[in-house]
Amino acid sequence: MESLFGKTLSELQDVAAAMKLPRFAAKQIADWLYKKNASSIDDMTNLSKSARAALAEQYEVGRKAPIDVAESVDGTKKYLFEAAGGYVETAYIPDADRATLCVSSQVGCKMMCRFCMTGRQGFAGNLSTCEILNQMASIPETESLTNIVYMGMGEPMDNLDAVLKSIEILTSEWGYAWSPRRITVSTIGVMPAMQTFLEKCDAHLAISLHNAIHEERAQLMPTENHFPIEETINTLRRYDWSGQRRLSFEYTMFGGVNDKPQHVAAISKLLAGMRCRINIINFNPIPDSDLTGTPRTAMEHFRDQLNNRGFIATIRNSRGQDIMAACGLLSTNKKNE
């Protein structure tokens, strides 16, 4: 049965028209779905009984509770959701007065980055808009969330239509009415989807950089051969980053691989003059990998060298490592078998 949850207002207007309901019924349904958290069509009491009965013959609300949860010693929680293509994981990360949810956009991923468990898993399917939003709407901490990052399983720009619809629902007055400044979407630089995202959406953008040298980045991220980082940066330079929208670069550090002075120089050259933030991330080891992390003191020196060159660089603390919820560790490979 088709879900109502995850439909935009225009899609709900199409539903209302097909069911021969008045046009304003679409706004009423959206209100029940996104503001009143209705769990069933019967809850929508300002629709007539006959309208509810007709809707229930073809539709369900469609929100589904997580089927498992793991909790870290640091308070991070990892939720497991069933999806049409298998299973996905979602990380809830509380931190003082902030609570961030790291949502997935795909079951697995096509990008095959060497340092990522999701990439190693392979690709099993795109999540629907309903399945993306359900990760936010069906956990106990929904009301406490301050930020959402599309940095879980999958490449968001490889499922752009569903991602954009989910952000439309999150940010619209008839939806959850969030500011787009509470949302960050990550990408390795998939084109032309990234351009479409920048033109249609005001959410923040994070680029998975990890190496600014073409040949070395290709060894870590095979997609560098299809979407070179230099072309990504050239595209980004055509947009205005002087306002509130934030551009950031994710840089996971690997011992002896991308943590040398020449890598500071390469980043500085690549991003020269750009208004951006660089987030340095500790590598969370994955099984059977020849990659290792960079010592903390070396990471701090790397950060300081970038800051000395005029960038804003910070080290992001890893969260949820003990439950495999930290950056690069999400995977449902065994569960999908």
Side-chain angles (χ1 to χ4, degrees):
M1 190 173 285
E2 191 173 349
S3 297
L4 290 173
F5 187 77
K7 289 189 181 297
T8 63
L9 183 60
S10 63
E11 290 173 329
L12 291 173
Q13 288 168 346
D14 291 341
V15 170
M19 305 295 294
K20 295 184 168 46
L21 300 176
R23 186 176 177 85
F24 64 78
K27 181 68 164 56
Q28 292 175 316
I29 296 171
D31 195 59
W32 283 107
L33 292 173
Y34 307 125
K35 296 189 183 301
K36 297 177 181 175
N37 300 315
S39 58
S40 74
I41 290 172
D42 277 340
D43 291 340
M44 303 178 184
T45 51
N46 57 354
L47 299 179
S48 69
K49 194 170 182 180
S50 60
R52 282 179 274 155
L55 273 174
E57 288 181 2
Q58 298 184 42
Y59 297 96
E60 61 181 352
V61 168
R63 288 209 322 269
K64 293 179 170 58
I67 59 175
D68 197 15
V69 60
E71 186 166 1
S72 168
V73 294
D74 65 22
T76 299
K77 292 184 180 179
K78 182 173 71 172
Y79 288 98
L80 178 68
F81 290 92
E82 191 168 8
Y87 300 88
V88 293
E89 293 179 330
T90 307
Y92 166 75
I93 310 164
D95 184 16
D97 59 346
R98 292 169 60 92
T100 300
L101 192 70
C102 181
V103 300
S104 296
S105 56
Q106 296 179 312
V107 180
C109 186
K110 299 176 185 176
M111 302 301 121
M112 299 299 291
C113 298
R114 275 177 60 199
F115 48 87
C116 180
M117 287 288 287
T118 310
R120 183 180 288 185
Q121 175 177 328
F123 176 73
N126 285 326
L127 296 188
S128 66
T129 306
C130 175
E131 290 168 332
I132 293 173
L133 279 179
N134 184 65
Q135 297 167 72
M136 179 273 286
S138 296
I139 61 172
E141 298 85 5
T142 297
E143 296 300 322
S144 70
L145 295 176
T146 61
N147 299 84
I148 289 180
V149 295
Y150 288 69
M151 295 182 182
M153 298 174 64
E155 162 58 61
M157 301 300 168
D158 196 38
N159 187 18
L160 184 60
D161 286 347
V163 166
L164 286 177
K165 284 182 183 179
S166 69
I167 296 174
E168 180 183 351
I169 293 167
L170 281 168
T171 58
S172 294
E173 178 276 331
W174 49 261
Y176 289 100
W178 276 39
S179 165
R181 307 310 174 200
R182 297 169 64 184
I183 302 167
T184 301
V185 180
S186 176
T187 180
I188 58 93
V190 174
M191 299 290 187
M194 188 186 81
Q195 292 165 278
T196 302
F197 168 81
L198 289 170
E199 290 158 8
K200 292 188 174 183
C201 181
D202 292 326
H204 300 311
L205 181 67
I207 303 295
S208 295
L209 177 57
H210 310 303
N211 203 311
I213 301 171
H214 170 73
E215 295 79 10
E216 295 183 12
R217 189 170 189 260
Q219 291 296 312
L220 292 170
M221 308 166 68
T223 51
E224 168 70 11
N225 293 314
H226 302 285
F227 306 111
I229 190 62
E230 189 169 346
E231 292 184 13
T232 300
I233 300 304
N234 288 340
T235 299
L236 292 171
R237 288 186 184 279
R238 297 201 292 267
Y239 293 84
D240 180 14
W241 298 101
S242 63
Q244 291 185 324
R245 174 188 263 178
R246 185 175 63 244
L247 174 64
S248 59
F249 291 89
E250 311 297 302
Y251 198 91
T252 303
M253 295 195 71
F254 310 101
V257 174
N258 65 347
D259 55 358
K260 302 172 185 176
Q262 61 261 38
H263 297 108
V264 174
I267 293 171
S268 301
K269 180 179 178 182
L270 181 70
L271 304 183
M274 296 195 77
R275 188 173 183 266
C276 63
R277 177 182 295 272
I278 302 168
N279 295 317
I280 299 171
I281 303 168
N282 178 58
F283 172 56
N284 299 298
I286 61 177
D288 304 316
S289 173
D290 59 346
L291 295 169
T292 59
T294 297
R296 178 77 183 198
T297 53
M299 291 177 66
E300 292 171 352
H301 179 70
F302 196 92
R303 174 203 61 197
D304 294 344
Q305 291 300 304
L306 288 170
N307 286 332
N308 290 340
R309 290 173 181 241
F311 294 100
I312 300 173
T314 58
I315 297 175
R316 181 192 294 164
N317 292 324
S318 291
R319 299 285 302 275
Q321 291 165 292
D322 56 324
I323 57 170
M324 299 292 283
C327 186
L329 298 184
L330 297 183
S331 175
T332 54
N333 196 38
K334 290 185 179 179
K335 297 179 181 69
N336 289 328
E337 291 174 354

